[in-house]
Amino acid sequence: MNIKHITVVSGYFIAISIPLILAYFLEPLTEEGFIAQLGMLFGLGGIMMVFFQFIISARIKWLDRLFAYNNLIYFHRKMGVWAFLFIVIHFMMLTISEQSMDMLLGFGEPWYINLGKITFLILTGQILVSIAHKKINIKYERWRVIHDLLAVGLLVLMFVHSFYAGSDLELFPLQVLWFVLPPIALAFFLWQRFFLFTFAPKYNIEKLTKKANNTYTIQFALEDGNEPYPHNPGQFHFIKFTNCKHLNIEEHPFTISSSPSQKSYLASTIKASGDFTSQIHQLQEGDKVKIIGPFGKMSFMEKSHSGPIVFIAGGIGITPFASMLQYMADMNHQREVTLFYFNATEADIAFREELDIISKNTSLNLKVVHILSKQDNWEGEKGLFNVQLLKKYCADSISTNDYYVCGPPLMSQSVIGSLKELHVPLNKIHSEMFGLAESGSPSTHHQKQAQSVSRLIVSGLILLVILIAGIRSNWMLFGQDSEKEKQGMQR
């Protein structure tokens, strides 16, 4: 992490802590006990985490350039789970402080307390659906609508509940903060969900080319004839199919498979494998789309390489490498690159002709190894990925290579696991999620960093909560009222 990363992460932690710090400085002592204070402060911290979820996922370009969008989404998931745990602790601590289960199980409490219970149930459902939407066969677009509706609903319910239930929210500066934050979060949500594409440039579909079995390359040219936006090879963009005769109006992320040196159009290569992409072949020249991008940092131009580069692709995972290799060839690079390309059959190999040309007729020292898993008469390598392939083709440089991995999650996990077993440093393994909706993406150096950052932030927040709760309550477990009640009972 560099100084910019540290500054942004520190700012995030300070911003989440603002309600806690305000509460302490405005009212350093309370009559409530330590346990009740823990409950209330954990609740404030959890609400602030939920608020910032809207900003993290808003596709802010400078955040993507700093951290990469897939790492932000990974961090978003982690912080969502932590927010849920903070809310659980909030309920548990307040129940213990009341020394009664009515707070947790009864519905005879004031309406704003019952609203908090309903909010907690909705949050639980949100977390479960986000984790298991694939297993229960919820389509991506339907899951996204459910996720967004629940997120907005949770935001409103949390702020209403806390405004009426929290004693700290009687403090005027916190009341002002509580009126300001929800509109900001909703503004980020509405911008990302509804207005981002409103202002996106329009592209015409210029050409549709079949590249392999059920795999098509689509060329997009700006409607006004200008050059498309610049990008690094290996990045991706979001495409919204706004006016296509045979496709629903949906947005999806796709890798940019064309080289940045190609200035007249952008291209994405898409495999017809899902509910939406199965209709890709029905696109026609002249259909219109909107595109926002670029995103991601899955590019050799984002790293510094001291040794050879190894690309490991599975199926349609070839797309970022097609862009990178074509760009290297266009720029007359002389670096050493090995591509392991896994497919079921020869008919599934995309960019075969282009790869042959690059390996034979350019300055790039490219070695292409095709591996097929379902073609018995194939004379080349067969089967799935194994370390013997690396030892056979990269024996002299296994630990010094930089590895880029792109393919289905199970394949990527297997490959990255094998690379770790070979003691390849994690910072030399580069991978992004095959799809942004995937939850089982392989662990990479940047994801380890995101995980460490989330744990560091949460640990700091927990320590701050405990410290403030202890000081404000004078470290009395159940507060002055409870102590007086106990003394009266003893008499």
Side-chain angles (χ1 to χ4, degrees), residues 176-191:
V176 173
L177 190 65
W178 247 233
F179 275 105
V180 169
L181 293 182
I184 292 175
L186 289 175
F188 274 99
F189 169 77
L190 292 173
W191 167 256

Side-chain angles (χ1 to χ4, degrees), residues 190-430:
L190 292 173
W191 167 256
Q192 181 265 326
R193 196 66 172 96
F194 299 105
F195 294 108
L196 194 59
F197 274 101
T198 301
F199 303 101
K202 294 181 180 179
Y203 287 76
N204 291 325
I205 293 181
E206 194 176 61
K207 189 177 181 182
L208 183 72
T209 307
K210 187 172 183 178
K211 302 299 291 186
N213 270 347
N214 299 318
T215 302
Y216 301 85
T217 291
I218 309 164
Q219 291 182 10
F220 308 97
L222 271 170
E223 195 174 54
D224 58 13
N226 290 327
E227 291 185 4
Y229 60 78
H231 64 94
N232 286 335
Q235 290 188 292
F236 69 94
H237 50 200
F238 289 91
I239 303 175
K240 188 168 188 176
F241 296 81
T242 54
N243 188 13
C244 302
K245 300 179 181 64
H246 302 288
L247 270 72
N248 295 328
I249 298 177
E250 293 184 14
E251 65 168 274
H252 292 270
F254 295 109
T255 301
I256 306 166
S257 57
S258 53
S259 166
S261 55
Q262 173 54 255
K263 302 296 184 181
S264 60
Y265 64 82
L266 296 170
S268 284
T269 302
I270 302 170
K271 187 176 180 64
S273 57
D275 296 316
F276 177 81
T277 57
S278 62
Q279 305 302 312
I280 285 294
H281 67 283
Q282 297 189 52
L283 286 170
Q284 299 178 7
E285 293 181 14
D287 283 349
K288 300 184 186 301
V289 301
K290 288 189 172 184
I291 300 177
I292 57 171
F295 293 92
K297 302 183 78 169
M298 178 74 168
S299 175
F300 75 95
M301 293 179 66
E302 299 281 352
K303 328 291 179 188
S304 57
H305 302 298
S306 57
I309 297 176
V310 176
F311 293 150
I312 303 175
I316 196 61
I318 188 63
T319 49
F321 306 136
S323 176
M324 284 189 263
L325 290 170
Q326 187 61 60
Y327 181 75
M328 290 177 186
D330 293 340
M331 297 294 106
N332 296 315
H333 286 199
Q334 297 182 1
R335 66 173 73 237
E336 182 180 343
V337 182
T338 302
L339 168 66
F340 295 98
Y341 187 13
F342 295 82
N343 283 286
T345 68
E346 282 186 89
D348 297 306
I349 300 174
F351 298 102
R352 189 173 187 178
E353 182 179 345
E354 290 90 337
L355 293 172
D356 285 343
I357 292 172
I358 293 171
S359 64
K360 296 174 182 176
N361 301 320
T362 69
S363 61
L364 189 66
N365 184 9
L366 172 64
K367 182 194 305 177
V368 180
V369 183
H370 292 288
I371 307 99
L372 304 183
S373 59
K374 295 182 179 179
Q375 184 168 321
D376 294 335
N377 63 348
W378 174 249
E379 296 182 358
E381 300 288 351
K382 298 179 183 178
L384 304 176
F385 178 84
N386 59 75
V387 296
Q388 299 306 318
L389 284 170
L390 288 179
K391 292 178 179 178
K392 180 176 180 180
Y393 291 96
C394 309
D396 298 330
S397 57
I398 287 180
S399 62
T400 58
N401 294 331
D402 270 88
Y403 296 87
Y404 288 77
V405 184
C406 188
L410 288 177
M411 173 204 155
S412 297
Q413 289 172 4
S414 174
V415 171
I416 291 176
S418 298
L419 292 175
K420 290 177 182 177
E421 290 176 6
L422 291 170
H423 305 292
V424 175
L426 200 57
N427 64 359
K428 283 186 167 291
I429 304 173
H430 316 286

Side-chain angles (χ1 to χ4, degrees), residues 26-42:
L26 294 170
E27 193 174 352
L29 295 174
T30 71
E31 293 185 355
E32 294 160 339
F34 176 65
I35 293 177
Q37 278 292 299
L38 280 180
M40 288 185 285
L41 296 177
F42 267 110

